């Protein structure tokens, strides 16, 4: 009920900090969201549902899923925050403002958002070159 395919967003009513917020998804992701909805044969109100345990997915379900994925892919390490950090870093490298990234991640402070971003030397050099050319 909280998925808007026209504006490509999902309203999260239950969050870690107890505040409702919207998350966005891409045009490329929309068919996957629809596929998840069709897979929901129990007609649960949750997009992510543990059908084996007949309940909404929780933190431990995701942790187990990622652990299995890590083993299957042969990765040394794989956890949910790696995806959040990569998402934040890629947005920053592509020019998104810290304020935009803060909203997308649902952070209370810009400082928390800064902690998620790994600034590459290439990004530093590109920004430096742009700044030097703009002022020269």
């Amino acid at each position: 009920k909280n998925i808007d395919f026209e504006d490509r967003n999902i309203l999260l009513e239950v969050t870690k900090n107890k505040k409702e917020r919207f998350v966005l998804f891409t045009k490329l992701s929309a068919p996957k969201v629809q596929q998840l909805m069709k897979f929901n044969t129990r007609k649960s109100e949750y997009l992510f549902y543990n059908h084996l345990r007949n309940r909404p997915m929780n933190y431990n379900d995701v942790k187990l899923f990622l652990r299995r994925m890590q083993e299957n892919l042969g990765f040394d390490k794989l956890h949910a925050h790696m995806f959040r950090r990569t998402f934040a870093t890629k947005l920053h490298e592509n020019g998104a403002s810290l304020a935009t990234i803060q909203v997308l991640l649902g952070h209370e402070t810009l400082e928390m958002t800064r902690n998620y971003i790994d600034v590459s030397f290439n990004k530093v050099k590109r920004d430096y070159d742009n700044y030097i050319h703009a002022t020269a």
Side-chain angles (χ1 to χ4, degrees):
K1 71 177 183 185
N2 293 347
I3 300 172
D4 182 340
F5 283 97
E6 188 174 315
D7 286 336
R8 295 187 330 275
N9 66 58
I10 303 171
L11 173 63
L12 301 180
E13 294 176 338
V14 179
T15 63
K16 190 166 77 173
N17 67 3
K18 312 273 190 279
K19 293 182 180 177
E20 287 187 351
R21 71 183 185 97
F22 286 95
V23 293
L24 303 175
F25 57 91
T26 65
K27 290 179 185 177
L28 185 66
S29 300
K32 294 299 180 188
V33 173
Q34 289 173 325
Q35 189 177 18
L36 277 171
M37 291 171 65
K38 287 179 187 171
F39 184 71
N40 185 1
T41 56
R42 299 189 202 283
K43 301 300 178 202
S44 165
E45 65 181 308
Y46 296 94
L47 183 61
F48 296 101
Y49 193 81
N50 184 332
H51 293 276
L52 296 174
R53 304 230 184 243
N54 196 26
R55 60 172 166 72
M57 285 184 80
N58 63 25
Y59 174 81
N60 288 327
D61 295 330
V62 174
K63 196 172 173 180
L64 177 61
F65 172 78
L66 291 173
R67 188 177 326 131
R68 287 181 179 159
M69 185 185 289
Q70 173 185 335
E71 291 167 2
N72 290 337
L73 296 173
F75 289 174
D76 292 332
K77 190 166 61 167
L78 183 68
H79 52 84
H81 273 82
M82 290 173 73
F83 292 98
R84 287 176 59 82
R85 289 181 185 281
T86 301
F87 177 66
T89 299
K90 292 298 179 188
L91 283 169
H92 186 256
E93 286 176 353
N94 289 314
S97 71
L98 282 177
T100 294
I101 299 168
Q102 176 187 358
V103 170
L104 289 170
L105 294 180
H107 288 158
E108 292 282 328
T109 66
L110 279 175
E111 188 59 35
M112 177 62 75
T113 303
R114 279 189 198 97
N115 291 334
Y116 271 72
I117 296 171
D118 294 320
V119 180
S120 70
F121 183 73
N122 288 338
K123 166 79 171 140
V124 171
K125 185 174 183 318
R126 190 170 58 245
D127 287 352
Y128 172 79
D129 288 345
N130 286 338
Y131 176 74
I132 289 300
H133 295 306
T135 58

